[in-house]
Amino acid sequence: VYLVPQGDLDFRGLQAEMQEGHRLQWRVLLIQPQRNVPEFRGNLELTFTGVLAGKPWSTTLPAGPLAIKFTQFGRFQGVVDVPAQAVVRSLSAKVLEGGAVKAAQSARL
């Protein structure tokens, strides 16, 4: 797990688990640790990596980065379909504001 601490935004949770039918459910919890903060508006990028047919494989959210906005706490979740033969090994997440990475984290599955 790696973190890019910026002080104004942080990951408090990053999880993914396989569901039936080759669907991967993911969940992200973000916080703004300071009090009385303005609403955060940015994008959440997720990359799923693993192995497919014995070769390195990766995919992102089908619709691209997810537009997010929240104050203090932001909970986001979704489901992504993966190929039947894919073995997902990790999930990487980045939160961007404009072109700047505000927070990043990865988790092994």
Side-chain angles (χ1 to χ4, degrees), residues 63-82:
L66 180 67
I68 59 171
K69 63 181 181 176
F70 67 96
T71 304
Q72 209 66 51
F73 293 94
R75 287 182 177 89
F76 308 96
Q77 63 183 15
V79 176
V80 64
D81 292 320
V82 297

Side-chain angles (χ1 to χ4, degrees), residues 33-63:
Q34 300 83 12
R35 296 184 188 275
N36 303 319
V37 291
E39 180 178 69
F40 176 83
R41 292 173 183 252
N43 291 299
L44 174 63
E45 289 185 358
L46 297 176
T47 303
F48 307 91
T49 58
V51 177
L52 177 61
K55 297 183 180 183
W57 166 87
S58 70
T59 190
T60 58
L61 293 176

Side-chain angles (χ1 to χ4, degrees), residues 10 12 14-16 19 22 32 36 52-53 55 61-62 71-72 76 95 97 108:
D10 197 9
R12 280 294 180 251
L14 177 63
Q15 296 178 314
Q19 304 292 311
H22 310 291
Q32 291 178 295
N36 303 319
L52 177 61
K55 297 183 180 183
L61 293 176
T71 304
Q72 209 66 51
F76 308 96
V95 178
E97 185 176 39
R108 296 191 71 69

Side-chain angles (χ1 to χ4, degrees), residues 8-27:
D8 56 349
L9 187 68
D10 197 9
F11 280 88
R12 280 294 180 251
L14 177 63
Q15 296 178 314
E17 57 190 28
M18 289 301 295
Q19 304 292 311
E20 292 182 33
H22 310 291
R23 297 168 61 87
L24 185 71
Q25 181 179 20
W26 58 269
R27 287 183 290 282

